[in-house]
Amino acid sequence: LEASSSYYLNFDNTCKVYVTASGDGLDANGYMYVNGGNVYVFGPTGGGNGIIDYDSNFEIRGGTFLAIGSSDMAQTATTASQYVLGFKVSQGSFSSGTYVNLTGADITVKLPVSYGSSVLALVSSPEFSNGNTYSLSYGGTYSGGNIVNNVCEGGTYSGGTSAASIATTSTLIASNSNFNSGGSNRPF
């Protein structure tokens, strides 16, 4: 999903967006805003593309946001009104059909493509709060619910291997690795 430099991407409270991309997951050559709703991005498997790619600003003001994909380019939000957590995982098995779960956010997805042993996940949820630890786990099982566009709705996730954790503080944007904000600081 891409917007040219004279436009912007804006997701509001009523949207439910599912993106599976071979290139950049969300690409705003200008500004990107998540004001609410549910946005799920399954990004590229490599090739210098990222789960998100923007040049100016990326603001998360509400809603549930999950972007997961290759670790080729790590960008996070520039500003936020709720917690935005960036997980970089360099070990594990993130193959197609693997479940990925974010504890504390009630988010479980089933990967539609294989990412190998290294992934980035950028997650924001109104359920995140100060003073808690949130973990990204992979593998495990999921039962009792529905899977819609690779997003698990209802049901229960169990088992799995914890791959990374972040403890929240008063800082709303946090990561366990080097994530950058803004187009000029993109690591490849």
Side-chain angles (χ1 to χ4, degrees):
L1 193 55
E2 182 175 3
S4 74
S5 59
S6 54
Y7 297 97
Y8 59 88
L9 292 174
N10 184 28
F11 303 98
D12 67 18
N13 319 0
T14 60
C15 76
K16 201 165 206 177
V17 177
Y18 306 92
V19 176
T20 301
S22 56
D24 291 324
L26 294 178
D27 190 350
N29 294 312
Y31 300 88
M32 191 167 11
Y33 304 98
V34 176
N35 294 309
N38 298 278
V39 179
Y40 300 96
V41 178
F42 299 97
T45 58
N49 293 303
I51 53 178
I52 59 170
D53 181 6
Y54 62 91
D55 289 339
S56 298
N57 281 344
F58 175 32
E59 296 182 26
I60 296 182
R61 301 172 180 156
T64 298
F65 179 86
L66 168 71
I68 188 166
S70 77
S71 58
D72 279 8
M73 186 170 65
Q75 284 187 289
T76 188
T78 51
T79 58
S81 302
Q82 65 185 27
Y83 283 97
V84 179
L85 305 180
F87 296 90
K88 185 172 185 178
V89 180
S90 299
Q91 81 288 342
S93 177
F94 296 92
S95 57
S96 178
T98 299
Y99 292 105
V100 174
N101 174 265
L102 275 296
T103 60
D106 195 28
I107 298 172
T108 302
V109 296
K110 184 176 183 180
L111 298 179
V113 297
S114 294
Y115 295 112
S117 62
S118 182
V119 298
L120 294 176
L122 189 63
V123 187
S124 185
S125 170
E127 296 180 31
F128 290 155
S129 60
N130 190 6
N132 292 304
T133 299
Y134 299 96
S135 299
L136 181 141
S137 297
Y138 66 94
T141 60
Y142 171 76
S143 62
N146 297 313
I147 300 174
V148 178
N149 295 315
N150 299 301
V151 176
C152 301
E153 296 181 348
T156 303
Y157 172 84
S158 60
T161 302
S162 179
S165 296
I166 297 174
T168 53
T169 64
S170 59
T171 303
L172 290 178
I173 301 172
S175 68
N176 70 332
S177 187
N178 182 25
F179 275 68
N180 291 306
S181 57
S184 60
N185 296 319
R186 289 178 277 184
F188 288 92

